[in-house]
Amino acid sequence: MKIKVLGSGCPNCKILEANTKKALDEMKIKADVEKITDISKIIEYGVMSTPALVIDEKVVSTGRVLTSEEIKKLLK
Amino acid sequence: MDIFYPFQLFANLVTYSWLGLGKESYLGSALNFFIYDIIKIGILLLVIGYFMAITRYYFPVEKVRNILAKRRWFGLDYLFAALLGVVTPFCSCSSIPLFIGFTGAGIPLGITFAFLIASPLINEASLFLFPAMFGMKVTIIYNVVGIGVAMLGGMLIQRLKLDKYVKQELLKFKSRADIEKENGKKLTFKEKARYWWNDGFKITKEIFPYVVLGVGLGALIHGFVPASFVENYLSSRAWWTIPAVVLLGAPLYANSVSVIPIMEALVGKGVPLGTALAFMTAIVTVSLPMILILRKVMKWQLLAIFLAITIIGIMFMGYLFNIIF
């Protein structure tokens, strides 16, 4: 499973990254979490509001900081 | 009937009865203001946050873009874009992806700018906090004029045909197929209600530290800055005060809610409403981070025009309010 957190560096993006890692830990899933801050790469995903979460190249959330609970639901 | 009167009573109770501070003392004044305003803003934030969460749920940016791109609204496009800019909050780090997304979807540049200008200018703070702070009349005029400024600004940019100043390389990215959102449509009403509460509360939690800071500063001004000082130095209605405060506030940035208590305190001390509003709006709408980010998608000519229009719009509002009030 490849996870990407899209965000250009504002605090919200960092929180999303932290929540994602927490969710993964709690579910004991091993996955790569990559943080993407490059604007051109973010645009490639068609994302218009950050932070955004991408799981296996599918954009599952934009513009919101998901809680680790919400992320866990997405990981199922 | 002031619905916040109970908070004022509570603040009085704590400051003057429990702590025994004098009603005329600087500290008493400041603390009283602080307690009252913190409670008032805190509760307003929660309520407003809740309703904004509902709005964001039904109007995610993707939907906004699709609405603007698909239909021809017969010149009302600009009004629509401005109104949508009002209801959709976005932080400056989203401005580029949003700009690209809109422009890439074929939305004319001017309309995108109407959205971009309206977004920071008019928001939940200006719609729902202003009435509690400055009264309905000010609120209505500010928001109506603000939308007008956003629309005219957008139309002007469209007229000037500035498309060549957008960095075309970035527009080449095709946007992916519509985003899959898991949490979308299948929530029961109870789940939705809970989701909206969490969403709204999250935002309140995030900005509350800044609000405390803002109220703190406002309280200090309210309690410790003598009215005479303000009268002598800050209450001038000379024509140059408006450009001065706008140019002073532009490079600064603060959260829109945090500056309101500061403005409330200043106006309470006698600073002209227009001057205070111009200062506050300049702080909130123009920010260095946003400029730096937008620089990546537009050439400086377009950016400069965008800033000039925004600044002139703010000054216009400042003058307008100083004349009316």
Side-chain angles (χ1 to χ4, degrees):
Chain A
M1 189 184 287
K2 276 211 79 182
I3 302 190
K4 296 182 184 165
V5 176
L6 310 181
S8 28
C10 66
N12 281 348
C13 322
K14 299 204 180 99
I15 301 180
L16 182 62
E17 191 185 6
N19 288 352
T20 307
K21 293 196 172 145
K22 182 163 165 232
L24 286 171
D25 275 342
E26 285 174 8
M27 289 181 76
K28 308 227 194 296
I29 300 181
K30 266 201 177 175
D32 279 332
V33 178
E34 191 188 342
K35 178 90 188 296
I36 309 229
T37 50
D38 185 340
I39 299 279
S40 22
K41 297 220 175 74
I42 295 179
I43 298 166
E44 262 187 60
Y45 283 98
V47 163
M48 279 198 296
S49 36
T50 54
L53 191 62
V54 177
I55 302 183
D56 287 332
E57 296 304 294
K58 208 168 76 166
V59 181
V60 297
S61 159
T62 65
R64 285 186 53 228
V65 179
L66 302 169
T67 60
S68 48
E69 288 305 312
E70 291 170 304
I71 299 176
K72 278 200 239 175
K73 285 208 195 114
L74 292 169
L75 289 170
K76 285 211 184 101
Chain B
M1 191 198 80
D2 180 12
I3 56 169
F4 299 109
Y5 192 57
F7 303 151
Q8 185 62 66
L9 288 179
F10 179 74
N12 291 348
L13 185 70
V14 173
T15 319
Y16 305 131
S17 302
W18 293 354
L19 293 175
L21 294 169
K23 287 210 174 124
E24 298 304 316
S25 73
Y26 291 137
L27 187 57
S29 225
L31 191 62
N32 188 289
F33 181 96
F34 185 82
I35 297 177
Y36 170 70
D37 240 24
I38 281 272
I39 302 180
K40 182 162 125 179
I41 295 187
I43 297 200
L44 279 172
L45 267 183
L46 285 175
V47 174
I48 294 169
Y50 190 81
F51 286 105
M52 288 316 290
I54 301 180
T55 314
R56 266 199 310 279
Y57 182 81
Y58 288 111
F59 276 102
V61 185
E62 289 76 24
K63 206 170 178 187
V64 172
R65 177 198 55 194
N66 294 341
I67 293 175
L68 285 174
K70 281 191 185 148
R71 337 264 196 95
R72 286 318 238 110
W73 298 86
F74 307 109
L76 288 180
D77 306 53
Y78 290 97
L79 176 63
F80 219 64
L83 288 175
L84 287 167
V86 172
V87 298
T88 37
F90 80 123
C91 79
S92 27
C93 43
S94 299
S95 20
I96 302 191
L98 190 137
F99 184 81
I100 302 282
F102 273 32
T103 316
I107 298 176
L109 202 61
I111 296 184
T112 306
F113 271 105
F115 180 93
L116 280 179
I117 297 176
S119 214
L121 203 61
I122 316 221
N123 46 40
E124 56 276 16
S126 72
L127 283 174
F128 303 117
L129 278 181
F130 271 34
M133 305 288 174
F134 303 114
M136 274 317 277
K137 198 166 162 205
V138 173
T139 308
I140 294 177
I141 298 181
Y142 175 81
N143 289 299
V144 168
V145 174
I147 291 184
V149 167
M151 286 175 62
L152 289 173
M155 290 185 205
L156 185 60
I157 290 186
Q158 187 65 25
R159 271 296 166 79
L160 293 174
K161 293 206 193 315
L162 299 167
D163 299 72
K164 55 183 185 277
Y165 292 117
V166 176
K167 291 198 175 165
Q168 295 299 333
E169 322 79 77
L170 287 169
L171 291 179
K172 291 208 194 98
F173 291 99
K174 297 250 156 57
S175 60
R176 298 250 172 137
D178 266 51
I179 285 147
E180 323 237 356
K181 292 240 189 110
E182 300 286 300
N183 301 326
K185 321 290 170 186
K186 315 264 162 71
L187 294 178
T188 66
F189 188 76
K190 207 160 73 151
E191 287 173 327
K192 276 191 211 171
R194 184 139 57 102
Y195 166 83
W196 291 331
W197 168 256
N198 286 337
D199 211 24
F201 187 66
K202 235 189 302 187
I203 303 236
T204 306
K205 227 177 15 162
E206 251 172 58
I207 64 174
F208 202 65
Y210 298 102
V211 174
V212 173
L213 207 63
V215 179
L217 267 170
L220 286 176
I221 295 175
H222 179 90
F224 290 93
V225 175
S228 51
F229 175 81
V230 175
E231 205 181 296
N232 289 333
Y233 297 106
L234 300 175
S235 67
S236 159
R237 285 175 178 265
W239 68 269
W240 52 263
T241 56
I242 299 280
V245 296
V246 173
L247 292 173
L248 184 66
L252 302 173
Y253 177 72
N255 173 272
S256 51
V257 183
S258 322
V259 288
I260 291 187
I262 300 178
M263 287 309 117
E264 204 188 359
L266 286 176
V267 171
K269 288 278 166 180
V271 174
L273 186 62
T275 314
L277 268 177
F279 186 50
M280 184 179 110
T281 315
I283 293 180
V284 174
T285 53
V286 181
S287 74
L288 214 49
M290 176 180 83
I291 295 176
L292 289 174
I293 291 180
L294 285 178
R295 180 71 187 86
K296 295 192 188 160
V297 261
M298 355 177 154
K299 305 200 182 140
W300 67 266
Q301 291 95 330
L302 181 53
L303 190 54
I305 294 183
F306 166 62
L307 286 174
I309 292 183
T310 308
I311 287 180
I312 292 176
I314 297 175
M315 289 198 216
F316 170 72
M317 287 216 271
Y319 284 122
L320 185 71
F321 275 90
N322 271 357
I323 291 175
I324 300 182
F325 293 97

